[in-house]
Short mmCIF file of all heavy atoms in Angstrom, two decimals:
data_model
loop_
_atom_site.label_atom_id
_atom_site.label_comp_id
_atom_site.label_asym_id
_atom_site.label_seq_id
_atom_site.Cartn_x
_atom_site.Cartn_y
_atom_site.Cartn_z
N ASN A 1 -23.52 -4.89 14.49
CA ASN A 1 -23.02 -6.26 14.61
C ASN A 1 -23.12 -6.92 13.25
O ASN A 1 -24.19 -6.91 12.65
CB ASN A 1 -23.80 -7.08 15.64
CG ASN A 1 -23.72 -6.44 16.99
OD1 ASN A 1 -22.70 -5.91 17.43
ND2 ASN A 1 -24.87 -6.45 17.70
N LEU A 2 -22.01 -7.48 12.72
CA LEU A 2 -22.10 -8.20 11.46
C LEU A 2 -20.91 -9.12 11.34
O LEU A 2 -19.87 -8.98 11.98
CB LEU A 2 -22.16 -7.26 10.27
CG LEU A 2 -20.93 -6.50 9.82
CD1 LEU A 2 -21.07 -6.06 8.40
CD2 LEU A 2 -20.68 -5.31 10.73
N SER A 3 -21.11 -10.16 10.43
CA SER A 3 -20.02 -11.10 10.13
C SER A 3 -19.76 -11.05 8.64
O SER A 3 -20.69 -11.08 7.82
CB SER A 3 -20.43 -12.52 10.55
OG SER A 3 -20.70 -12.59 11.97
N LEU A 4 -18.47 -10.93 8.30
CA LEU A 4 -18.07 -10.85 6.86
C LEU A 4 -17.24 -12.06 6.49
O LEU A 4 -16.32 -12.47 7.24
CB LEU A 4 -17.17 -9.61 6.63
CG LEU A 4 -17.86 -8.25 7.03
CD1 LEU A 4 -16.80 -7.14 6.87
CD2 LEU A 4 -19.09 -7.99 6.22
N PRO A 5 -17.63 -12.69 5.42
CA PRO A 5 -16.84 -13.89 4.98
C PRO A 5 -15.46 -13.53 4.55
O PRO A 5 -15.25 -12.52 3.86
CB PRO A 5 -17.65 -14.52 3.84
CG PRO A 5 -18.46 -13.32 3.31
CD PRO A 5 -18.72 -12.45 4.48
N ARG A 6 -14.46 -14.28 4.92
CA ARG A 6 -13.07 -14.03 4.53
C ARG A 6 -12.81 -14.59 3.13
O ARG A 6 -13.52 -15.46 2.66
CB ARG A 6 -12.10 -14.67 5.58
CG ARG A 6 -12.17 -13.98 6.91
CD ARG A 6 -11.24 -14.60 7.89
NE ARG A 6 -9.85 -14.55 7.42
CZ ARG A 6 -8.81 -14.88 8.17
NH1 ARG A 6 -8.96 -15.27 9.40
NH2 ARG A 6 -7.58 -14.82 7.69
N ASP A 7 -11.79 -14.06 2.50
CA ASP A 7 -11.36 -14.54 1.17
C ASP A 7 -12.46 -14.28 0.17
O ASP A 7 -12.63 -15.17 -0.78
CB ASP A 7 -10.87 -16.00 1.19
CG ASP A 7 -9.75 -16.27 2.16
OD1 ASP A 7 -8.90 -15.30 2.31
OD2 ASP A 7 -9.71 -17.32 2.81
N ARG A 8 -13.18 -13.26 0.28
CA ARG A 8 -14.24 -12.95 -0.64
C ARG A 8 -14.15 -11.43 -1.03
O ARG A 8 -13.70 -10.65 -0.16
CB ARG A 8 -15.68 -13.21 -0.07
CG ARG A 8 -15.94 -14.66 0.23
CD ARG A 8 -16.11 -15.49 -1.04
NE ARG A 8 -16.51 -16.82 -0.78
CZ ARG A 8 -15.67 -17.82 -0.54
NH1 ARG A 8 -14.35 -17.60 -0.56
NH2 ARG A 8 -16.14 -19.06 -0.31
N LEU A 9 -14.63 -11.10 -2.19
CA LEU A 9 -14.74 -9.66 -2.57
C LEU A 9 -16.04 -9.14 -2.04
O LEU A 9 -17.14 -9.66 -2.36
CB LEU A 9 -14.68 -9.50 -4.10
CG LEU A 9 -14.86 -8.09 -4.64
CD1 LEU A 9 -13.73 -7.18 -4.13
CD2 LEU A 9 -14.97 -8.06 -6.11
N ILE A 10 -15.99 -8.14 -1.13
CA ILE A 10 -17.16 -7.64 -0.48
C ILE A 10 -17.36 -6.15 -0.93
O ILE A 10 -16.41 -5.35 -0.87
CB ILE A 10 -17.05 -7.67 1.01
CG1 ILE A 10 -16.90 -9.17 1.49
CG2 ILE A 10 -18.29 -7.06 1.72
CD1 ILE A 10 -16.62 -9.33 2.96
N VAL A 11 -18.56 -5.82 -1.35
CA VAL A 11 -18.91 -4.45 -1.75
C VAL A 11 -19.87 -3.91 -0.74
O VAL A 11 -20.91 -4.54 -0.45
CB VAL A 11 -19.56 -4.43 -3.16
CG1 VAL A 11 -19.90 -3.04 -3.55
CG2 VAL A 11 -18.62 -5.04 -4.19
N ILE A 12 -19.53 -2.74 -0.19
CA ILE A 12 -20.40 -2.09 0.82
C ILE A 12 -21.14 -0.93 0.11
O ILE A 12 -20.47 -0.01 -0.42
CB ILE A 12 -19.53 -1.58 2.00
CG1 ILE A 12 -18.77 -2.69 2.65
CG2 ILE A 12 -20.43 -0.89 3.03
CD1 ILE A 12 -17.83 -2.23 3.73
N THR A 13 -22.42 -1.04 0.11
CA THR A 13 -23.22 0.03 -0.60
C THR A 13 -24.20 0.65 0.38
O THR A 13 -24.44 0.13 1.51
CB THR A 13 -24.03 -0.61 -1.75
OG1 THR A 13 -24.95 -1.54 -1.23
CG2 THR A 13 -23.12 -1.30 -2.78
N GLY A 14 -24.76 1.80 0.02
CA GLY A 14 -25.72 2.47 0.87
C GLY A 14 -25.80 3.94 0.51
O GLY A 14 -25.04 4.43 -0.32
N LEU A 15 -26.73 4.59 1.16
CA LEU A 15 -26.92 6.06 0.93
C LEU A 15 -25.68 6.86 1.39
O LEU A 15 -24.96 6.40 2.30
CB LEU A 15 -28.17 6.50 1.62
CG LEU A 15 -29.51 5.89 1.12
CD1 LEU A 15 -30.65 6.38 1.99
CD2 LEU A 15 -29.76 6.26 -0.32
N SER A 16 -25.61 8.03 0.86
CA SER A 16 -24.50 8.90 1.34
C SER A 16 -24.72 9.25 2.80
O SER A 16 -25.83 9.61 3.22
CB SER A 16 -24.54 10.16 0.50
OG SER A 16 -23.53 11.07 0.98
N GLY A 17 -23.66 9.06 3.64
CA GLY A 17 -23.75 9.39 5.01
C GLY A 17 -24.23 8.17 5.87
O GLY A 17 -24.43 8.33 7.07
N SER A 18 -24.43 7.03 5.23
CA SER A 18 -24.94 5.88 5.96
C SER A 18 -23.81 5.15 6.76
O SER A 18 -24.13 4.25 7.54
CB SER A 18 -25.62 4.88 5.02
OG SER A 18 -24.68 4.43 4.04
N GLY A 19 -22.53 5.53 6.52
CA GLY A 19 -21.44 4.93 7.32
C GLY A 19 -20.61 3.87 6.56
O GLY A 19 -19.90 3.13 7.17
N LYS A 20 -20.67 3.88 5.20
CA LYS A 20 -19.91 2.92 4.43
C LYS A 20 -18.44 3.09 4.64
O LYS A 20 -17.70 2.13 4.99
CB LYS A 20 -20.19 3.09 2.92
CG LYS A 20 -21.68 2.94 2.57
CD LYS A 20 -21.90 3.04 1.09
CE LYS A 20 -21.45 4.41 0.46
NZ LYS A 20 -22.23 5.50 1.02
N SER A 21 -17.91 4.34 4.47
CA SER A 21 -16.49 4.57 4.66
C SER A 21 -16.06 4.38 6.12
O SER A 21 -14.95 3.90 6.40
CB SER A 21 -16.14 5.97 4.16
OG SER A 21 -16.37 6.11 2.82
N THR A 22 -16.92 4.76 7.08
CA THR A 22 -16.62 4.55 8.45
C THR A 22 -16.48 3.10 8.80
O THR A 22 -15.48 2.71 9.54
CB THR A 22 -17.74 5.15 9.33
OG1 THR A 22 -17.83 6.54 9.09
CG2 THR A 22 -17.50 4.91 10.79
N LEU A 23 -17.28 2.26 8.27
CA LEU A 23 -17.17 0.81 8.54
C LEU A 23 -15.92 0.23 7.89
O LEU A 23 -15.17 -0.52 8.52
CB LEU A 23 -18.41 0.09 7.99
CG LEU A 23 -18.40 -1.45 8.14
CD1 LEU A 23 -18.32 -1.87 9.57
CD2 LEU A 23 -19.63 -2.08 7.46
N ALA A 24 -15.67 0.61 6.62
CA ALA A 24 -14.58 0.03 5.88
C ALA A 24 -13.23 0.51 6.32
O ALA A 24 -12.28 -0.28 6.57
CB ALA A 24 -14.77 0.20 4.35
N PHE A 25 -13.10 1.85 6.41
CA PHE A 25 -11.79 2.42 6.65
C PHE A 25 -11.53 2.75 8.13
O PHE A 25 -10.46 2.47 8.67
CB PHE A 25 -11.58 3.68 5.78
CG PHE A 25 -11.57 3.40 4.33
CD1 PHE A 25 -12.60 3.73 3.50
CD2 PHE A 25 -10.42 2.78 3.72
CE1 PHE A 25 -12.56 3.41 2.15
CE2 PHE A 25 -10.38 2.54 2.42
CZ PHE A 25 -11.49 2.81 1.60
N ASP A 26 -12.53 3.44 8.75
CA ASP A 26 -12.30 3.94 10.13
C ASP A 26 -12.48 2.86 11.15
O ASP A 26 -12.15 3.06 12.34
CB ASP A 26 -13.23 5.11 10.40
CG ASP A 26 -13.00 6.29 9.49
OD1 ASP A 26 -11.86 6.41 9.07
OD2 ASP A 26 -13.91 7.03 9.13
N THR A 27 -13.03 1.70 10.76
CA THR A 27 -13.24 0.60 11.75
C THR A 27 -12.40 -0.60 11.41
O THR A 27 -11.43 -0.95 12.09
CB THR A 27 -14.72 0.27 11.83
OG1 THR A 27 -15.51 1.42 12.19
CG2 THR A 27 -14.95 -0.83 12.90
N ILE A 28 -12.74 -1.27 10.24
CA ILE A 28 -12.06 -2.54 9.93
C ILE A 28 -10.59 -2.26 9.53
O ILE A 28 -9.69 -2.86 10.07
CB ILE A 28 -12.81 -3.24 8.75
CG1 ILE A 28 -14.22 -3.53 9.16
CG2 ILE A 28 -12.04 -4.52 8.34
CD1 ILE A 28 -15.07 -4.13 8.00
N TYR A 29 -10.36 -1.34 8.64
CA TYR A 29 -8.98 -1.07 8.20
C TYR A 29 -8.14 -0.50 9.34
O TYR A 29 -6.97 -0.92 9.64
CB TYR A 29 -8.94 -0.11 7.01
CG TYR A 29 -7.61 0.46 6.71
CD1 TYR A 29 -6.53 -0.30 6.30
CD2 TYR A 29 -7.34 1.84 6.97
CE1 TYR A 29 -5.31 0.17 6.11
CE2 TYR A 29 -6.13 2.33 6.70
CZ TYR A 29 -5.08 1.53 6.29
OH TYR A 29 -3.87 2.05 6.04
N ALA A 30 -8.73 0.46 10.10
CA ALA A 30 -8.01 1.09 11.16
C ALA A 30 -7.58 0.05 12.21
O ALA A 30 -6.43 0.10 12.76
CB ALA A 30 -8.82 2.15 11.82
N GLU A 31 -8.43 -0.89 12.59
CA GLU A 31 -8.15 -1.88 13.57
C GLU A 31 -7.02 -2.88 13.09
O GLU A 31 -6.08 -3.22 13.79
CB GLU A 31 -9.38 -2.69 14.02
CG GLU A 31 -9.10 -3.78 15.00
CD GLU A 31 -8.58 -3.30 16.36
OE1 GLU A 31 -8.57 -2.07 16.58
OE2 GLU A 31 -8.16 -4.12 17.20
N GLY A 32 -7.11 -3.24 11.77
CA GLY A 32 -6.12 -4.09 11.20
C GLY A 32 -4.72 -3.41 11.15
O GLY A 32 -3.72 -4.05 11.47
N GLN A 33 -4.71 -2.16 10.81
CA GLN A 33 -3.44 -1.39 10.78
C GLN A 33 -2.90 -1.25 12.18
O GLN A 33 -1.69 -1.40 12.36
CB GLN A 33 -3.68 -0.05 10.16
CG GLN A 33 -2.41 0.77 9.97
CD GLN A 33 -2.69 2.18 9.45
OE1 GLN A 33 -3.51 2.88 10.05
NE2 GLN A 33 -2.01 2.55 8.41
N ARG A 34 -3.77 -0.99 13.22
CA ARG A 34 -3.29 -0.81 14.55
C ARG A 34 -2.67 -2.13 15.08
O ARG A 34 -1.58 -2.09 15.71
CB ARG A 34 -4.49 -0.42 15.44
CG ARG A 34 -4.09 -0.07 16.85
CD ARG A 34 -5.32 0.19 17.72
NE ARG A 34 -6.06 -1.02 17.92
CZ ARG A 34 -5.78 -1.96 18.83
NH1 ARG A 34 -4.73 -1.78 19.66
NH2 ARG A 34 -6.52 -3.08 19.01
N ARG A 35 -3.26 -3.23 14.81
CA ARG A 35 -2.73 -4.53 15.23
C ARG A 35 -1.40 -4.82 14.57
O ARG A 35 -0.51 -5.37 15.17
CB ARG A 35 -3.71 -5.64 14.99
CG ARG A 35 -5.01 -5.56 15.79
CD ARG A 35 -5.94 -6.72 15.52
NE ARG A 35 -7.20 -6.53 16.19
CZ ARG A 35 -8.18 -7.42 16.20
NH1 ARG A 35 -8.00 -8.55 15.52
NH2 ARG A 35 -9.30 -7.22 16.80
N TYR A 36 -1.27 -4.43 13.31
CA TYR A 36 -0.03 -4.71 12.58
C TYR A 36 1.10 -3.86 13.19
O TYR A 36 2.20 -4.39 13.49
CB TYR A 36 -0.17 -4.39 11.10
CG TYR A 36 1.13 -4.39 10.36
CD1 TYR A 36 1.82 -5.58 10.13
CD2 TYR A 36 1.73 -3.20 9.87
CE1 TYR A 36 3.01 -5.62 9.48
CE2 TYR A 36 2.88 -3.26 9.23
CZ TYR A 36 3.55 -4.45 9.02
OH TYR A 36 4.79 -4.49 8.36
N VAL A 37 0.81 -2.58 13.49
CA VAL A 37 1.84 -1.71 14.03
C VAL A 37 2.24 -2.24 15.45
O VAL A 37 3.46 -2.23 15.79
CB VAL A 37 1.35 -0.24 14.09
CG1 VAL A 37 2.34 0.58 14.92
CG2 VAL A 37 1.13 0.28 12.73
N GLU A 38 1.28 -2.71 16.24
CA GLU A 38 1.60 -3.19 17.55
C GLU A 38 2.44 -4.47 17.50
O GLU A 38 3.12 -4.82 18.51
CB GLU A 38 0.30 -3.44 18.38
CG GLU A 38 -0.39 -2.20 18.84
CD GLU A 38 -1.59 -2.50 19.69
OE1 GLU A 38 -1.98 -3.68 19.78
OE2 GLU A 38 -2.08 -1.53 20.37
N SER A 39 2.38 -5.20 16.41
CA SER A 39 3.17 -6.44 16.26
C SER A 39 4.63 -6.15 16.03
O SER A 39 5.48 -7.08 16.11
CB SER A 39 2.58 -7.31 15.20
OG SER A 39 2.85 -6.76 13.88
N LEU A 40 4.95 -4.93 15.65
CA LEU A 40 6.33 -4.61 15.32
C LEU A 40 7.13 -4.36 16.62
O LEU A 40 6.59 -4.20 17.68
CB LEU A 40 6.42 -3.33 14.45
CG LEU A 40 5.68 -3.42 13.10
CD1 LEU A 40 5.70 -2.08 12.40
CD2 LEU A 40 6.30 -4.53 12.21
N SER A 41 8.44 -4.33 16.46
CA SER A 41 9.33 -4.04 17.59
C SER A 41 9.16 -2.61 18.05
O SER A 41 8.73 -1.74 17.28
CB SER A 41 10.79 -4.33 17.24
OG SER A 41 11.21 -3.38 16.28
N ALA A 42 9.59 -2.35 19.34
CA ALA A 42 9.53 -1.00 19.82
C ALA A 42 10.35 -0.05 19.03
O ALA A 42 10.00 1.09 18.83
CB ALA A 42 10.00 -1.05 21.29
N TYR A 43 11.50 -0.55 18.47
CA TYR A 43 12.35 0.29 17.62
C TYR A 43 11.62 0.70 16.35
O TYR A 43 11.66 1.90 15.98
CB TYR A 43 13.61 -0.45 17.29
CG TYR A 43 14.55 0.30 16.38
CD1 TYR A 43 15.37 1.31 16.83
CD2 TYR A 43 14.59 0.01 14.99
CE1 TYR A 43 16.19 2.02 16.01
CE2 TYR A 43 15.39 0.69 14.15
CZ TYR A 43 16.22 1.75 14.62
OH TYR A 43 17.04 2.44 13.79
N ALA A 44 10.92 -0.22 15.69
CA ALA A 44 10.24 0.14 14.47
C ALA A 44 9.06 1.01 14.73
O ALA A 44 8.74 1.90 13.94
CB ALA A 44 9.80 -1.22 13.78
#
């Protein structure tokens, strides 16, 4: 559980395997991309 400030440059650091890429790409980015695709028309 965490809250990230918007309109800020955020750096995620930690040990290898701690889940940095999972949080940034597989969770936050993936959900944003999914919502964007769902907003498109059925044809697109």
Side-chain angles (χ1 to χ4, degrees):
N1 300 322
L2 73 159
S3 298
L4 303 175
R6 294 180 56 171
D7 303 324
R8 295 291 186 272
L9 176 64
I10 299 174
V11 179
I12 303 174
T13 63
L15 298 174
S16 177
S18 61
K20 303 184 299 297
S21 297
T22 297
L23 176 63
F25 294 106
D26 298 331
T27 304
I28 300 174
Y29 166 65
E31 177 63 10
Q33 185 186 49
R34 187 186 67 82
R35 293 183 185 182
Y36 171 69
V37 172
E38 286 186 347
S39 70
L40 300 176
S41 66
Y43 176 79

